[in-house]
């Protein structure tokens, strides 16, 4: 039952502004405007009054919103009832970082013992992509690394922990001799590592945003840059002496070949569970989400 277009109209009604609605839905404003125009043409009447950038419901719009909310409610109750039949169902979960995959590897075996007929589908994507999938309700939940609280309602977001981000260099790097374990002040990076090849995560990731912030604050203009979207590849490149990088604490492995330093002031990101807005959870999905929420406790 595809109802994500109903979400478009419900969001426009909530935000009363096309730009804000498009931002929340992670679609372009033109896409949203075209869909609304097409729908109003099909209905033969406007759903919103347009006035100085504000969209307010017409009488027809109020009727449409009322019906849309009923359809969404019926869908949610139907899906929940279907999933509760003999504890069968399907949970779709997205992850943006290695810590999420590690978490699911630990959680799923015990969950499958309790709910063997529940299918769990895992998708790995970047933060903007996962945020869009949750907004469109194309996926049930996401385990994500974030720099700030995402644009969802409070009941959708659970902050799991604050995770430190470390700076990594090869263990045989000359810097290790003069500083084996002292935290590295941000102001020291340009002087000590200005000639190094820096390994960057792809744009849009939490690590990239933190790295860009450090580079700017340190006045550090790297001589060479390499971009990769694989943490394991980046870590291996550091171990081989190809470059230096910032890496999350949960991925700080291979300490025989890679040295990790705290940064001063401390660099952190948030690990969070985000669920789609209209997800009426079955007993199994509640158990699954609770396992994620309690993972770090």
């Amino acid at each position: 039952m595809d109802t994500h277009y109903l979400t478009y109209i419900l969001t426009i009604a909530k935000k009363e502004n096309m730009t804000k609605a498009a931002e929340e839905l992670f679609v372009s404003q033109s896409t949203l405007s075209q869909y609304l125009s097409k729908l109003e043409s099909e209905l033969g009447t406007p759903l919103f009054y347009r006035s100085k950038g504000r969209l307010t419901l017409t009488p027809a719009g109020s009727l449409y919103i009322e019906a849309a909310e009923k359809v969404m409610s019926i869908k949610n109750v139907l899906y929940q009832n279907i999933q509760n039949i003999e504890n069968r169902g399907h949970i779709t979960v997205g992850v943006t970082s290695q810590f999420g995959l590690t978490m699911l590897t630990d959680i799923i075996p015990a969950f499958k013992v309790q709910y063997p007929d529940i299918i769990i589908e895992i998708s790995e994507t970047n933060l903007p992509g996962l945020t869009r999938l949750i907004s469109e309700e194309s996926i049930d939940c996401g385990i994500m690394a974030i720099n700030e609280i995402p644009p969802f309602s409070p009941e959708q977001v659970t902050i799991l922990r604050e995770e430190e981000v470390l700076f990594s260099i090869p263990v045989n790097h000359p810097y290790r001799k003069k500083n084996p374990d002292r935290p590295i002040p941000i102001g020291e990076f340009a002087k000590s590592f200005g000639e190094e090849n820096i390994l960057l995560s792809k744009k849009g990731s939490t690590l990239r945003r933190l790295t860009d912030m450090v580079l700017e604050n340190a006045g550090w203009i790297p001589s060479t840059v390499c971009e990769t979207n694989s943490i394991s590849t980046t870590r291996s490149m550091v171990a081989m002496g190809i470059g230096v990088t910032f890496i999350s604490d949960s991925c700080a492995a291979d300490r025989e070949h890679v040295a990790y330093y705290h940064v001063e002031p401390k660099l952190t990101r948030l690990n969070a569970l985000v669920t789609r807005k209209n997800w009426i959870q079955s007993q199994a999905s509640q158990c699954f989400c609770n396992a994620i929420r309690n993972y770090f406790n």
Side-chain angles (χ1 to χ4, degrees):
M1 187 183 294
D2 188 359
T3 57
H4 78 274
Y5 286 120
L6 292 179
T7 305
Y8 284 7
I9 305 302
L10 291 169
T11 304
I12 295 172
K14 181 180 71 173
K15 292 296 185 179
E16 297 186 338
N17 180 277
M18 193 67 72
T19 301
K20 292 180 180 178
E23 290 175 352
E24 178 160 321
L25 291 165
F26 291 92
V27 299
S28 68
Q29 184 175 338
S30 61
T31 297
L32 201 57
S33 297
Q34 289 172 14
Y35 174 72
L36 177 58
S37 295
K38 180 181 177 181
L39 177 61
E40 290 179 326
S41 178
E42 290 176 356
L43 294 172
T45 186
L47 298 179
F48 295 92
Y49 295 117
R50 279 81 164 169
S51 177
K52 295 181 180 179
R54 186 184 178 197
L55 299 174
T56 55
L57 289 169
T58 64
S62 296
L63 288 174
Y64 191 94
I65 291 299
E66 181 180 352
E69 289 174 342
K70 288 179 180 178
V71 171
M72 295 298 293
S73 178
I74 291 170
K75 173 188 173 180
N76 291 332
V77 172
L78 171 63
Y79 278 29
Q80 182 185 41
N81 289 340
I82 290 174
Q83 290 184 9
N84 282 335
I85 297 175
E86 299 180 354
N87 282 325
R88 295 181 184 273
H90 184 251
I91 299 173
T92 53
V93 54
V95 296
T96 65
S97 184
Q98 183 63 45
F99 89 90
L101 294 173
T102 301
M103 177 190 295
L104 292 176
T105 301
D106 293 338
I107 287 173
I108 288 176
F111 176 82
K112 291 292 285 184
V113 170
Q114 189 172 0
Y115 299 99
D117 295 318
I118 298 292
I119 298 172
I120 299 176
E121 180 182 343
I122 303 171
S123 300
E124 188 175 3
T125 184
N126 57 25
L127 181 58
L130 182 53
T131 302
R132 183 178 63 256
L133 288 172
I134 294 173
S135 296
E136 294 176 349
E137 301 206 61
S138 299
I139 200 166
D140 292 322
C141 61
I143 303 169
M144 55 180 67
I146 55 178
N147 298 108
E148 55 196 15
I149 304 300
F152 297 104
S153 57
E155 62 269 17
Q156 291 179 258
V157 182
T158 301
I159 300 302
L160 303 174
R161 67 166 177 174
E162 184 179 46
E163 180 184 23
E164 186 172 8
V165 173
L166 308 169
F167 184 65
S168 61
I169 63 175
V171 290
N172 59 357
H173 194 285
Y175 185 81
R176 290 274 289 166
K177 294 181 180 179
K178 62 179 180 179
N179 179 18
D181 55 16
R182 177 179 59 84
I184 304 176
I186 285 181
E188 193 175 299
F189 278 106
K191 177 182 177 181
S192 300
F193 305 101
E195 300 303 316
E196 296 287 346
N197 176 33
I198 185 164
L199 310 175
L200 298 176
S201 301
K202 293 292 186 180
K203 286 187 176 181
S205 69
T206 55
L207 287 177
R208 180 58 180 271
R209 288 185 62 182
L210 287 171
T211 301
D212 288 346
M213 181 271 291
V214 171
L215 293 178
E216 181 179 357
N217 290 345
W220 179 9
I221 302 175
S223 57
T224 54
V225 171
C226 177
E227 281 193 1
T228 175
N229 211 28
S230 169
I231 292 298
S232 59
T233 299
T234 301
R235 189 173 56 231
S236 295
M237 292 174 72
V238 174
M240 292 185 289
I242 296 174
V244 297
T245 194
F246 292 90
I247 197 164
S248 62
D249 181 61
S250 58
C251 297
D254 193 13
R255 291 178 180 264
E256 291 183 359
H257 304 100
V258 181
Y260 297 95
Y261 285 84
H262 301 285
V263 178
E264 195 175 83
K266 187 177 181 181
L267 293 181
T268 62
R269 67 179 186 177
L270 300 174
N271 298 162
L273 168 68
V274 181
T275 58
R276 62 180 175 86
K277 185 175 182 180
N278 294 299
W279 191 20
I280 298 179
Q281 296 182 23
S282 64
Q283 182 179 0
S285 59
Q286 289 176 8
C287 178
F288 181 73
C289 288
N290 286 337
I292 294 173
R293 292 186 179 100
N294 295 326
Y295 181 78
F296 293 116
N297 294 336

